[in-house]
Amino acid sequence: MSEITFELNGRRVAMAAAATLSLADLLRSKLGARSIHLGCEQGVCGACTILLDGRSVRSCLMLAAQVDGRAVTTAEGVAERYAELWGEIESTFLSEGAFQCGYCTSGMIVCLSELLDRRLRLTSAEIAERLSGQICRCTGYAPLRSAFESILEKVDLLVREGER
Amino acid sequence: MKFPPLEYRRAEDLSSACELLAAEGARPLAGGQSLLPLLALRIARPSILVDLSRLEELKGVVLATGGVGGDVLSIGAVTTHADIEQEAAVAGHLPILGRVASHIGHLSIRHLGTIGGSVAHADPAAEWPATCVALGALAEITSRGGVRRAPVAELLVGPYQTSLADGEVISRLEFPLEPGRRLGMAEVARRPGDFALAGAVCSLTQREGATEAVVSFFGVEGRPRPIRLPALSSSELLDEAGREALSHEVAAQLEDVLEDVHASGTFRRHLARVALKRALGEALKEAA
Ligand SMILES: Cc1cc2nc3c(=O)[nH]c(=O)nc-3n(C[C@H](O)[C@H](O)[C@H](O)COP(=O)(O)OP(=O)(O)OC[C@H]3O[C@@H](n4cnc5c(N)ncnc54)[C@H](O)[C@@H]3O)c2cc1C
Ligand code: FES
Ligand code: FES
């Protein structure tokens, strides 16, 4: 067991964690962060993506013990942080058909949050490259790409064709 | 998939890491992006993981000038792929390293994975080992017994195998800076972020009117090795037909080319040629 203290979506957590526990299991099973989905547990699918000190990482490829002293954001935290934009994000995902079963969605939201947080201005091709790190078995990606484009456009982070 | 029983220890500095690693069954954990999947699959069974990921002394890039081996760009082993991509010292002195880093996996993998972990893991399809080989990089290796240096090419002995002894840590990777050297890399992968089906790194140096090249491949043989092409004439390099012939000559020297569900040996040998021609093309675009 390791004693760990960290921040989860802005709130301090102090607890003991077994050395064999993954960060993904800690967040979902012990702390109730149901947005953490496990697809592959090998770092490939991106369903378990979180922000660690603001940078996207796979929570299945970290030990719970490694999170001591750091700050974690899950999709729940993204919804809180972007409370004002959240309705817009949800309705855009719906209208574009950017999810079906929803298994990949929280990873997608965390991936989107990383772009919003850093105010990265991206082209459509760069958005596609980011999405290549997140597997979706349902939508065929084009609707996800349009949803990302449309949300980024609203906050002035989309680079239009010919602009760069 | 769950991790097997193990003990987790976080090292506070390099010397305490070496102490912890002297224990039976101890193994370093850096970014965990290769080791943790191996644990989940029960391919690796260490009893103690010694976490190096907080060792600030092994992070970052420094320019070391005036050493016996000449100037080197020295990269701390625990520097992440993503940080190497962003490093000003890399952009200024060896921009190829930033391009190499950007080809590794996806951003979320690059945020945790480290250069030292990649070299120690010795995946034949990985970008860093082949890059270290073509550029003649040395590994600084630290253990409880002291510090030694070895060319990365000598450290890599086979697929997923290095000559590191138990208790040894790669502490830094040192890339020699040779004025006038031109460098190129190229890889072929089905999608961005996938491991390359084949890739090539080349280094060109002008010597007595001819060009000396060192080439290494990843995803092609069981380990990257330096293939030296001692005296290339300008016609062999500068025109397309010359490079085509050269690529055939090099591909003919490849041994035990990897074969798996992703690509047959024949296809990989072909892709190695394609990658080599592109890497040479990139190097030739650099000013001599
Ligand atoms: C989905 C996915 C895609 C990937 N795609 C690519 C890719 O395209 N190209 C690529 O090259 N890699 C790829 N990787 C692997 C990634 O680059 C890893 O970061 C890298 O192979 C290992 O680095 P690490 O820091 O994570 O090491 P770890 O996983 O922590 O360790 C790997 C091995 O090295 C040992 N070790 C670690 N650090 C040291 C050290 N300083 N000294 C001695 N031994 C050490 C460990 O004990 C272990 O045996 C991918 C990984 C994933 C999950
Ligand atoms: S479950 Fe973590 S990347 Fe697939
Ligand atoms: S919506 Fe089903 S996996 Fe993406």
Side-chain angles (χ1 to χ4, degrees), chain A residues 19-20 22 25 40-41 55-56 61 65-66 68 70 114 118 130 132-133, chain B residues 1-4 6 8 10 29 33 36 51 54 83 106-108 111:
Chain A
T20 52
S22 75
D25 286 341
C40 64
E41 291 184 87
R55 298 163 79 157
S56 62
L61 292 190
Q66 288 182 289
D68 185 41
R70 314 194 67 167
E114 188 171 41
R118 297 207 203 164
R130 289 287 182 128
S132 75
Chain B
M1 283 193 298
K2 303 297 159 202
F3 302 127
L6 50 87
Y8 168 84
R10 193 161 85 207
L29 171 69
Q33 303 301 288
L36 293 181
D51 188 354
R54 306 279 178 107
D83 282 344
H106 309 287
L107 186 62
S108 319
H111 277 150

PDB file of all heavy atoms in Angstrom, chain A residues 19-20 22 25 40-41 55-56 61 65-66 68 70 114 118 130 132-133, chain B residues 1-4 6 8 10 29 33 36 51 54 83 106-108 111:
ATOM      1  N   ALA A  19      -0.320  -1.305  -4.571  1.00  0.00           N
ATOM      2  CA  ALA A  19       0.676  -1.117  -5.627  1.00  0.00           C
ATOM      3  C   ALA A  19       0.223  -1.703  -6.954  1.00  0.00           C
ATOM      4  O   ALA A  19       0.667  -1.279  -8.016  1.00  0.00           O
ATOM      5  CB  ALA A  19       2.003  -1.731  -5.209  1.00  0.00           C
ATOM      6  N   THR A  20      -0.687  -2.677  -6.910  1.00  0.00           N
ATOM      7  CA  THR A  20      -1.100  -3.325  -8.162  1.00  0.00           C
ATOM      8  C   THR A  20      -2.269  -2.615  -8.830  1.00  0.00           C
ATOM      9  O   THR A  20      -2.712  -3.023  -9.896  1.00  0.00           O
ATOM     10  CB  THR A  20      -1.542  -4.771  -7.884  1.00  0.00           C
ATOM     11  OG1 THR A  20      -2.506  -4.739  -6.838  1.00  0.00           O
ATOM     12  CG2 THR A  20      -0.382  -5.626  -7.472  1.00  0.00           C
ATOM     13  N   SER A  22      -4.319   0.015 -10.958  1.00  0.00           N
ATOM     14  CA  SER A  22      -4.049   1.007 -12.010  1.00  0.00           C
ATOM     15  C   SER A  22      -4.771   2.295 -11.645  1.00  0.00           C
ATOM     16  O   SER A  22      -5.737   2.279 -10.880  1.00  0.00           O
ATOM     17  CB  SER A  22      -4.531   0.505 -13.371  1.00  0.00           C
ATOM     18  OG  SER A  22      -5.937   0.591 -13.452  1.00  0.00           O
ATOM     19  N   ASP A  25      -8.464   2.056 -12.574  1.00  0.00           N
ATOM     20  CA  ASP A  25      -9.312   1.340 -11.610  1.00  0.00           C
ATOM     21  C   ASP A  25      -9.537   2.168 -10.355  1.00  0.00           C
ATOM     22  O   ASP A  25     -10.626   2.156  -9.778  1.00  0.00           O
ATOM     23  CB  ASP A  25      -8.692  -0.014 -11.249  1.00  0.00           C
ATOM     24  CG  ASP A  25      -8.832  -1.016 -12.390  1.00  0.00           C
ATOM     25  OD1 ASP A  25      -9.695  -0.792 -13.268  1.00  0.00           O
ATOM     26  OD2 ASP A  25      -8.081  -2.009 -12.416  1.00  0.00           O
ATOM     27  N   CYS A  40      -9.101  -1.296 -23.854  1.00  0.00           N
ATOM     28  CA  CYS A  40      -8.012  -2.227 -24.199  1.00  0.00           C
ATOM     29  C   CYS A  40      -7.072  -2.491 -23.026  1.00  0.00           C
ATOM     30  O   CYS A  40      -6.421  -3.514 -22.974  1.00  0.00           O
ATOM     31  CB  CYS A  40      -7.202  -1.655 -25.358  1.00  0.00           C
ATOM     32  SG  CYS A  40      -6.361  -0.117 -24.929  1.00  0.00           S
ATOM     33  N   GLU A  41      -6.966  -1.529 -22.113  1.00  0.00           N
ATOM     34  CA  GLU A  41      -5.985  -1.573 -21.020  1.00  0.00           C
ATOM     35  C   GLU A  41      -4.567  -1.803 -21.524  1.00  0.00           C
ATOM     36  O   GLU A  41      -3.739  -2.430 -20.871  1.00  0.00           O
ATOM     37  CB  GLU A  41      -6.377  -2.624 -19.964  1.00  0.00           C
ATOM     38  CG  GLU A  41      -7.630  -2.204 -19.207  1.00  0.00           C
ATOM     39  CD  GLU A  41      -7.987  -3.159 -18.088  1.00  0.00           C
ATOM     40  OE1 GLU A  41      -7.463  -2.957 -16.993  1.00  0.00           O
ATOM     41  OE2 GLU A  41      -8.773  -4.111 -18.330  1.00  0.00           O
ATOM     42  N   ARG A  55      -2.043  17.541 -19.003  1.00  0.00           N
ATOM     43  CA  ARG A  55      -1.623  16.869 -20.235  1.00  0.00           C
ATOM     44  C   ARG A  55      -2.349  15.532 -20.354  1.00  0.00           C
ATOM     45  O   ARG A  55      -2.454  14.790 -19.371  1.00  0.00           O
ATOM     46  CB  ARG A  55      -0.108  16.631 -20.214  1.00  0.00           C
ATOM     47  CG  ARG A  55       0.665  17.944 -20.155  1.00  0.00           C
ATOM     48  CD  ARG A  55       2.091  17.712 -19.720  1.00  0.00           C
ATOM     49  NE  ARG A  55       2.814  17.258 -20.794  1.00  0.00           N
ATOM     50  CZ  ARG A  55       4.142  17.278 -21.089  1.00  0.00           C
ATOM     51  NH1 ARG A  55       4.901  17.568 -20.517  1.00  0.00           N
ATOM     52  NH2 ARG A  55       4.752  16.912 -22.046  1.00  0.00           N
ATOM     53  N   SER A  56      -2.806  15.204 -21.562  1.00  0.00           N
ATOM     54  CA  SER A  56      -3.557  13.965 -21.740  1.00  0.00           C
ATOM     55  C   SER A  56      -2.649  12.751 -21.565  1.00  0.00           C
ATOM     56  O   SER A  56      -1.523  12.720 -22.078  1.00  0.00           O
ATOM     57  CB  SER A  56      -4.194  13.923 -23.130  1.00  0.00           C
ATOM     58  OG  SER A  56      -3.193  13.945 -24.120  1.00  0.00           O
ATOM     59  N   LEU A  61      -2.441   3.094 -18.182  1.00  0.00           N
ATOM     60  CA  LEU A  61      -1.000   2.857 -18.186  1.00  0.00           C
ATOM     61  C   LEU A  61      -0.276   3.678 -17.133  1.00  0.00           C
ATOM     62  O   LEU A  61       0.823   4.182 -17.345  1.00  0.00           O
ATOM     63  CB  LEU A  61      -0.407   3.120 -19.586  1.00  0.00           C
ATOM     64  CG  LEU A  61      -0.814   2.133 -20.679  1.00  0.00           C
ATOM     65  CD1 LEU A  61       0.020   2.350 -21.945  1.00  0.00           C
ATOM     66  CD2 LEU A  61      -0.671   0.683 -20.208  1.00  0.00           C
ATOM     67  N   ALA A  65      -0.451   4.558  -7.514  1.00  0.00           N
ATOM     68  CA  ALA A  65       0.561   5.123  -6.618  1.00  0.00           C
ATOM     69  C   ALA A  65       1.326   6.284  -7.268  1.00  0.00           C
ATOM     70  O   ALA A  65       1.865   7.141  -6.583  1.00  0.00           O
ATOM     71  CB  ALA A  65       1.543   4.036  -6.192  1.00  0.00           C
ATOM     72  N   GLN A  66       1.358   6.305  -8.612  1.00  0.00           N
ATOM     73  CA  GLN A  66       2.136   7.335  -9.300  1.00  0.00           C
ATOM     74  C   GLN A  66       1.456   8.700  -9.316  1.00  0.00           C
ATOM     75  O   GLN A  66       2.059   9.683  -9.739  1.00  0.00           O
ATOM     76  CB  GLN A  66       2.383   6.912 -10.754  1.00  0.00           C
ATOM     77  CG  GLN A  66       3.385   5.773 -10.886  1.00  0.00           C
ATOM     78  CD  GLN A  66       3.618   5.454 -12.350  1.00  0.00           C
ATOM     79  OE1 GLN A  66       2.760   4.908 -13.022  1.00  0.00           O
ATOM     80  NE2 GLN A  66       4.786   5.815 -12.849  1.00  0.00           N
ATOM     81  N   ASP A  68       0.374  10.401  -6.832  1.00  0.00           N
ATOM     82  CA  ASP A  68       0.627  11.181  -5.613  1.00  0.00           C
ATOM     83  C   ASP A  68       1.191  12.574  -5.954  1.00  0.00           C
ATOM     84  O   ASP A  68       2.154  12.677  -6.712  1.00  0.00           O
ATOM     85  CB  ASP A  68       1.642  10.411  -4.747  1.00  0.00           C
ATOM     86  CG  ASP A  68       1.871  11.092  -3.411  1.00  0.00           C
ATOM     87  OD1 ASP A  68       0.885  11.556  -2.821  1.00  0.00           O
ATOM     88  OD2 ASP A  68       3.037  11.163  -2.983  1.00  0.00           O
ATOM     89  N   ARG A  70      -0.180  14.952  -7.697  1.00  0.00           N
ATOM     90  CA  ARG A  70      -0.485  15.506  -9.017  1.00  0.00           C
ATOM     91  C   ARG A  70      -1.963  15.852  -9.144  1.00  0.00           C
ATOM     92  O   ARG A  70      -2.754  15.591  -8.242  1.00  0.00           O
ATOM     93  CB  ARG A  70      -0.050  14.502 -10.072  1.00  0.00           C
ATOM     94  CG  ARG A  70       1.353  13.994  -9.738  1.00  0.00           C
ATOM     95  CD  ARG A  70       2.016  13.282 -10.833  1.00  0.00           C
ATOM     96  NE  ARG A  70       2.324  14.162 -11.949  1.00  0.00           N
ATOM     97  CZ  ARG A  70       3.136  13.809 -12.937  1.00  0.00           C
ATOM     98  NH1 ARG A  70       3.704  12.617 -12.940  1.00  0.00           N
ATOM     99  NH2 ARG A  70       3.370  14.629 -13.921  1.00  0.00           N
ATOM    100  N   GLU A 114      -8.322  19.185 -23.846  1.00  0.00           N
ATOM    101  CA  GLU A 114      -6.896  19.524 -23.963  1.00  0.00           C
ATOM    102  C   GLU A 114      -6.703  20.630 -25.009  1.00  0.00           C
ATOM    103  O   GLU A 114      -5.867  21.521 -24.838  1.00  0.00           O
ATOM    104  CB  GLU A 114      -6.093  18.267 -24.347  1.00  0.00           C
ATOM    105  CG  GLU A 114      -4.594  18.491 -24.295  1.00  0.00           C
ATOM    106  CD  GLU A 114      -3.803  17.215 -24.465  1.00  0.00           C
ATOM    107  OE1 GLU A 114      -4.192  16.384 -25.314  1.00  0.00           O
ATOM    108  OE2 GLU A 114      -2.791  17.047 -23.769  1.00  0.00           O
ATOM    109  N   ARG A 118      -5.585  24.574 -23.761  1.00  0.00           N
ATOM    110  CA  ARG A 118      -4.340  25.193 -24.233  1.00  0.00           C
ATOM    111  C   ARG A 118      -4.596  26.233 -25.305  1.00  0.00           C
ATOM    112  O   ARG A 118      -3.665  26.809 -25.850  1.00  0.00           O
ATOM    113  CB  ARG A 118      -3.431  24.110 -24.820  1.00  0.00           C
ATOM    114  CG  ARG A 118      -3.017  23.087 -23.800  1.00  0.00           C
ATOM    115  CD  ARG A 118      -1.700  22.511 -24.214  1.00  0.00           C
ATOM    116  NE  ARG A 118      -1.508  21.211 -23.627  1.00  0.00           N
ATOM    117  CZ  ARG A 118      -0.610  20.337 -24.038  1.00  0.00           C
ATOM    118  NH1 ARG A 118       0.150  20.614 -25.075  1.00  0.00           N
ATOM    119  NH2 ARG A 118      -0.470  19.190 -23.436  1.00  0.00           N
ATOM    120  N   ARG A 130      -5.201  14.333 -34.103  1.00  0.00           N
ATOM    121  CA  ARG A 130      -5.482  14.168 -32.672  1.00  0.00           C
ATOM    122  C   ARG A 130      -6.464  13.022 -32.447  1.00  0.00           C
ATOM    123  O   ARG A 130      -6.319  12.221 -31.532  1.00  0.00           O
ATOM    124  CB  ARG A 130      -6.103  15.452 -32.102  1.00  0.00           C
ATOM    125  CG  ARG A 130      -5.143  16.605 -31.993  1.00  0.00           C
ATOM    126  CD  ARG A 130      -4.183  16.350 -30.860  1.00  0.00           C
ATOM    127  NE  ARG A 130      -3.283  17.462 -30.702  1.00  0.00           N
ATOM    128  CZ  ARG A 130      -3.076  18.091 -29.558  1.00  0.00           C
ATOM    129  NH1 ARG A 130      -3.707  17.718 -28.468  1.00  0.00           N
ATOM    130  NH2 ARG A 130      -2.215  19.073 -29.490  1.00  0.00           N
ATOM    131  N   SER A 132      -6.899  10.471 -34.143  1.00  0.00           N
ATOM    132  CA  SER A 132      -6.354   9.142 -34.450  1.00  0.00           C
ATOM    133  C   SER A 132      -5.865   8.443 -33.187  1.00  0.00           C
ATOM    134  O   SER A 132      -5.669   7.233 -33.175  1.00  0.00           O
ATOM    135  CB  SER A 132      -5.233   9.233 -35.487  1.00  0.00           C
ATOM    136  OG  SER A 132      -4.060   9.744 -34.897  1.00  0.00           O
ATOM    137  N   GLY A 133      -5.667   9.193 -32.109  1.00  0.00           N
ATOM    138  CA  GLY A 133      -5.267   8.582 -30.849  1.00  0.00           C
ATOM    139  C   GLY A 133      -6.442   8.073 -30.030  1.00  0.00           C
ATOM    140  O   GLY A 133      -6.265   7.544 -28.944  1.00  0.00           O
TER     141      GLY A 133
ATOM    142  N   MET B   1      -7.561  -6.919 -17.528  1.00  0.00           N
ATOM    143  CA  MET B   1      -6.141  -7.141 -17.296  1.00  0.00           C
ATOM    144  C   MET B   1      -5.667  -6.361 -16.087  1.00  0.00           C
ATOM    145  O   MET B   1      -5.825  -5.151 -16.045  1.00  0.00           O
ATOM    146  CB  MET B   1      -5.365  -6.683 -18.519  1.00  0.00           C
ATOM    147  CG  MET B   1      -5.485  -7.700 -19.627  1.00  0.00           C
ATOM    148  SD  MET B   1      -4.322  -7.359 -20.881  1.00  0.00           S
ATOM    149  CE  MET B   1      -4.911  -5.767 -21.372  1.00  0.00           C
ATOM    150  N   LYS B   2      -5.123  -7.070 -15.138  1.00  0.00           N
ATOM    151  CA  LYS B   2      -4.701  -6.411 -13.907  1.00  0.00           C
ATOM    152  C   LYS B   2      -3.217  -6.673 -13.705  1.00  0.00           C
ATOM    153  O   LYS B   2      -2.667  -7.645 -14.213  1.00  0.00           O
ATOM    154  CB  LYS B   2      -5.510  -6.948 -12.713  1.00  0.00           C
ATOM    155  CG  LYS B   2      -7.024  -6.785 -12.898  1.00  0.00           C
ATOM    156  CD  LYS B   2      -7.459  -5.323 -13.002  1.00  0.00           C
ATOM    157  CE  LYS B   2      -8.815  -5.200 -13.693  1.00  0.00           C
ATOM    158  NZ  LYS B   2      -9.095  -3.916 -14.292  1.00  0.00           N
ATOM    159  N   PHE B   3      -2.588  -5.794 -12.929  1.00  0.00           N
ATOM    160  CA  PHE B   3      -1.154  -5.957 -12.701  1.00  0.00           C
ATOM    161  C   PHE B   3      -0.895  -7.048 -11.673  1.00  0.00           C
ATOM    162  O   PHE B   3      -1.661  -7.214 -10.728  1.00  0.00           O
ATOM    163  CB  PHE B   3      -0.540  -4.632 -12.242  1.00  0.00           C
ATOM    164  CG  PHE B   3      -0.748  -3.515 -13.231  1.00  0.00           C
ATOM    165  CD1 PHE B   3      -1.312  -2.307 -12.850  1.00  0.00           C
ATOM    166  CD2 PHE B   3      -0.393  -3.682 -14.569  1.00  0.00           C
ATOM    167  CE1 PHE B   3      -1.524  -1.286 -13.770  1.00  0.00           C
ATOM    168  CE2 PHE B   3      -0.600  -2.666 -15.494  1.00  0.00           C
ATOM    169  CZ  PHE B   3      -1.165  -1.468 -15.094  1.00  0.00           C
ATOM    170  N   PRO B   4       0.195  -7.799 -11.847  1.00  0.00           N
ATOM    171  CA  PRO B   4       0.519  -8.863 -10.890  1.00  0.00           C
ATOM    172  C   PRO B   4       1.018  -8.257  -9.573  1.00  0.00           C
ATOM    173  O   PRO B   4       1.362  -7.079  -9.529  1.00  0.00           O
ATOM    174  CB  PRO B   4       1.641  -9.628 -11.588  1.00  0.00           C
ATOM    175  CG  PRO B   4       2.278  -8.635 -12.486  1.00  0.00           C
ATOM    176  CD  PRO B   4       1.192  -7.693 -12.913  1.00  0.00           C
ATOM    177  N   LEU B   6       3.158  -6.779  -6.849  1.00  0.00           N
ATOM    178  CA  LEU B   6       4.479  -6.172  -6.896  1.00  0.00           C
ATOM    179  C   LEU B   6       4.559  -5.083  -5.852  1.00  0.00           C
ATOM    180  O   LEU B   6       3.551  -4.676  -5.270  1.00  0.00           O
ATOM    181  CB  LEU B   6       4.786  -5.599  -8.284  1.00  0.00           C
ATOM    182  CG  LEU B   6       3.748  -4.687  -8.935  1.00  0.00           C
ATOM    183  CD1 LEU B   6       3.921  -3.238  -8.522  1.00  0.00           C
ATOM    184  CD2 LEU B   6       3.885  -4.772 -10.453  1.00  0.00           C
ATOM    185  N   TYR B   8       5.897  -1.142  -5.063  1.00  0.00           N
ATOM    186  CA  TYR B   8       6.179   0.104  -5.785  1.00  0.00           C
ATOM    187  C   TYR B   8       7.041   1.002  -4.913  1.00  0.00           C
ATOM    188  O   TYR B   8       6.698   1.252  -3.753  1.00  0.00           O
ATOM    189  CB  TYR B   8       4.863   0.801  -6.131  1.00  0.00           C
ATOM    190  CG  TYR B   8       5.024   2.219  -6.628  1.00  0.00           C
ATOM    191  CD1 TYR B   8       5.309   2.477  -7.963  1.00  0.00           C
ATOM    192  CD2 TYR B   8       4.898   3.316  -5.759  1.00  0.00           C
ATOM    193  CE1 TYR B   8       5.466   3.776  -8.428  1.00  0.00           C
ATOM    194  CE2 TYR B   8       5.054   4.619  -6.216  1.00  0.00           C
ATOM    195  CZ  TYR B   8       5.331   4.837  -7.540  1.00  0.00           C
ATOM    196  OH  TYR B   8       5.488   6.119  -7.992  1.00  0.00           O
ATOM    197  N   ARG B  10       9.173   4.767  -5.036  1.00  0.00           N
ATOM    198  CA  ARG B  10       9.494   5.958  -5.825  1.00  0.00           C
ATOM    199  C   ARG B  10      10.866   6.475  -5.431  1.00  0.00           C
ATOM    200  O   ARG B  10      11.102   6.743  -4.256  1.00  0.00           O
ATOM    201  CB  ARG B  10       8.447   7.026  -5.600  1.00  0.00           C
ATOM    202  CG  ARG B  10       8.550   8.136  -6.603  1.00  0.00           C
ATOM    203  CD  ARG B  10       7.279   8.913  -6.647  1.00  0.00           C
ATOM    204  NE  ARG B  10       7.275   9.923  -5.611  1.00  0.00           N
ATOM    205  CZ  ARG B  10       6.172  10.401  -5.051  1.00  0.00           C
ATOM    206  NH1 ARG B  10       5.001   9.923  -5.384  1.00  0.00           N
ATOM    207  NH2 ARG B  10       6.250  11.340  -4.135  1.00  0.00           N
ATOM    208  N   LEU B  29      10.954   1.721 -13.585  1.00  0.00           N
ATOM    209  CA  LEU B  29       9.704   2.121 -14.240  1.00  0.00           C
ATOM    210  C   LEU B  29       9.915   3.581 -14.644  1.00  0.00           C
ATOM    211  O   LEU B  29      10.196   4.410 -13.792  1.00  0.00           O
ATOM    212  CB  LEU B  29       8.540   2.018 -13.249  1.00  0.00           C
ATOM    213  CG  LEU B  29       7.197   2.591 -13.693  1.00  0.00           C
ATOM    214  CD1 LEU B  29       6.580   1.759 -14.809  1.00  0.00           C
ATOM    215  CD2 LEU B  29       6.227   2.678 -12.515  1.00  0.00           C
ATOM    216  N   GLN B  33       4.949   3.125 -20.434  1.00  0.00           N
ATOM    217  CA  GLN B  33       4.147   2.939 -21.648  1.00  0.00           C
ATOM    218  C   GLN B  33       4.483   1.638 -22.380  1.00  0.00           C
ATOM    219  O   GLN B  33       3.767   1.219 -23.282  1.00  0.00           O
ATOM    220  CB  GLN B  33       4.299   4.148 -22.590  1.00  0.00           C
ATOM    221  CG  GLN B  33       3.911   5.457 -21.933  1.00  0.00           C
ATOM    222  CD  GLN B  33       2.470   5.455 -21.439  1.00  0.00           C
ATOM    223  OE1 GLN B  33       1.541   5.506 -22.236  1.00  0.00           O
ATOM    224  NE2 GLN B  33       2.277   5.379 -20.128  1.00  0.00           N
ATOM    225  N   LEU B  36       4.179  -1.325 -18.356  1.00  0.00           N
ATOM    226  CA  LEU B  36       2.895  -1.659 -17.725  1.00  0.00           C
ATOM    227  C   LEU B  36       2.060  -2.613 -18.586  1.00  0.00           C
ATOM    228  O   LEU B  36       1.497  -3.582 -18.046  1.00  0.00           O
ATOM    229  CB  LEU B  36       2.132  -0.394 -17.308  1.00  0.00           C
ATOM    230  CG  LEU B  36       2.826   0.403 -16.177  1.00  0.00           C
ATOM    231  CD1 LEU B  36       2.012   1.623 -15.780  1.00  0.00           C
ATOM    232  CD2 LEU B  36       3.091  -0.470 -14.946  1.00  0.00           C
ATOM    233  N   ASP B  51      10.300   3.604  -9.423  1.00  0.00           N
ATOM    234  CA  ASP B  51       9.784   4.672 -10.282  1.00  0.00           C
ATOM    235  C   ASP B  51      10.835   5.767 -10.468  1.00  0.00           C
ATOM    236  O   ASP B  51      11.221   6.446  -9.514  1.00  0.00           O
ATOM    237  CB  ASP B  51       8.514   5.250  -9.638  1.00  0.00           C
ATOM    238  CG  ASP B  51       7.786   6.225 -10.548  1.00  0.00           C
ATOM    239  OD1 ASP B  51       8.315   6.551 -11.636  1.00  0.00           O
ATOM    240  OD2 ASP B  51       6.681   6.658 -10.165  1.00  0.00           O
ATOM    241  N   ARG B  54      10.085  10.722 -11.419  1.00  0.00           N
ATOM    242  CA  ARG B  54      10.171  12.033 -10.752  1.00  0.00           C
ATOM    243  C   ARG B  54      11.608  12.530 -10.631  1.00  0.00           C
ATOM    244  O   ARG B  54      11.858  13.488  -9.900  1.00  0.00           O
ATOM    245  CB  ARG B  54       9.577  11.953  -9.346  1.00  0.00           C
ATOM    246  CG  ARG B  54       8.164  11.415  -9.270  1.00  0.00           C
ATOM    247  CD  ARG B  54       7.139  12.474  -9.597  1.00  0.00           C
ATOM    248  NE  ARG B  54       5.810  11.912  -9.556  1.00  0.00           N
ATOM    249  CZ  ARG B  54       4.914  12.159  -8.594  1.00  0.00           C
ATOM    250  NH1 ARG B  54       5.233  12.945  -7.597  1.00  0.00           N
ATOM    251  NH2 ARG B  54       3.732  11.604  -8.626  1.00  0.00           N
ATOM    252  N   ASP B  83       8.321  16.219 -24.456  1.00  0.00           N
ATOM    253  CA  ASP B  83       9.213  17.321 -24.086  1.00  0.00           C
ATOM    254  C   ASP B  83      10.342  17.479 -25.104  1.00  0.00           C
ATOM    255  O   ASP B  83      10.761  18.599 -25.392  1.00  0.00           O
ATOM    256  CB  ASP B  83       9.778  17.111 -22.672  1.00  0.00           C
ATOM    257  CG  ASP B  83       8.748  17.485 -21.605  1.00  0.00           C
ATOM    258  OD1 ASP B  83       7.769  18.172 -21.954  1.00  0.00           O
ATOM    259  OD2 ASP B  83       8.915  17.067 -20.444  1.00  0.00           O
ATOM    260  N   HIS B 106       0.813   8.241 -29.987  1.00  0.00           N
ATOM    261  CA  HIS B 106      -0.046   9.416 -29.954  1.00  0.00           C
ATOM    262  C   HIS B 106       0.428  10.345 -28.852  1.00  0.00           C
ATOM    263  O   HIS B 106       1.176   9.933 -27.983  1.00  0.00           O
ATOM    264  CB  HIS B 106      -1.491   9.000 -29.666  1.00  0.00           C
ATOM    265  CG  HIS B 106      -1.953   7.911 -30.571  1.00  0.00           C
ATOM    266  ND1 HIS B 106      -2.238   8.135 -31.889  1.00  0.00           N
ATOM    267  CD2 HIS B 106      -2.116   6.584 -30.375  1.00  0.00           C
ATOM    268  CE1 HIS B 106      -2.574   6.997 -32.459  1.00  0.00           C
ATOM    269  NE2 HIS B 106      -2.500   6.036 -31.562  1.00  0.00           N
ATOM    270  N   LEU B 107      -0.078  11.582 -28.889  1.00  0.00           N
ATOM    271  CA  LEU B 107       0.345  12.571 -27.902  1.00  0.00           C
ATOM    272  C   LEU B 107       0.228  12.044 -26.467  1.00  0.00           C
ATOM    273  O   LEU B 107       1.122  12.235 -25.651  1.00  0.00           O
ATOM    274  CB  LEU B 107      -0.482  13.849 -28.090  1.00  0.00           C
ATOM    275  CG  LEU B 107      -0.069  15.029 -27.228  1.00  0.00           C
ATOM    276  CD1 LEU B 107       1.369  15.454 -27.549  1.00  0.00           C
ATOM    277  CD2 LEU B 107      -1.021  16.202 -27.436  1.00  0.00           C
ATOM    278  N   SER B 108      -0.877  11.349 -26.161  1.00  0.00           N
ATOM    279  CA  SER B 108      -1.072  10.868 -24.781  1.00  0.00           C
ATOM    280  C   SER B 108      -0.016   9.845 -24.382  1.00  0.00           C
ATOM    281  O   SER B 108       0.252   9.672 -23.199  1.00  0.00           O
ATOM    282  CB  SER B 108      -2.456  10.245 -24.594  1.00  0.00           C
ATOM    283  OG  SER B 108      -3.420  10.983 -25.255  1.00  0.00           O
ATOM    284  N   HIS B 111       3.329  11.947 -23.831  1.00  0.00           N
ATOM    285  CA  HIS B 111       3.361  12.723 -22.586  1.00  0.00           C
ATOM    286  C   HIS B 111       3.996  11.952 -21.443  1.00  0.00           C
ATOM    287  O   HIS B 111       4.443  12.541 -20.467  1.00  0.00           O
ATOM    288  CB  HIS B 111       1.926  13.116 -22.173  1.00  0.00           C
ATOM    289  CG  HIS B 111       1.438  14.343 -22.878  1.00  0.00           C
ATOM    290  ND1 HIS B 111       0.120  14.557 -23.169  1.00  0.00           N
ATOM    291  CD2 HIS B 111       2.097  15.430 -23.349  1.00  0.00           C
ATOM    292  CE1 HIS B 111      -0.016  15.723 -23.783  1.00  0.00           C
ATOM    293  NE2 HIS B 111       1.169  16.269 -23.902  1.00  0.00           N
TER     294      HIS B 111
END
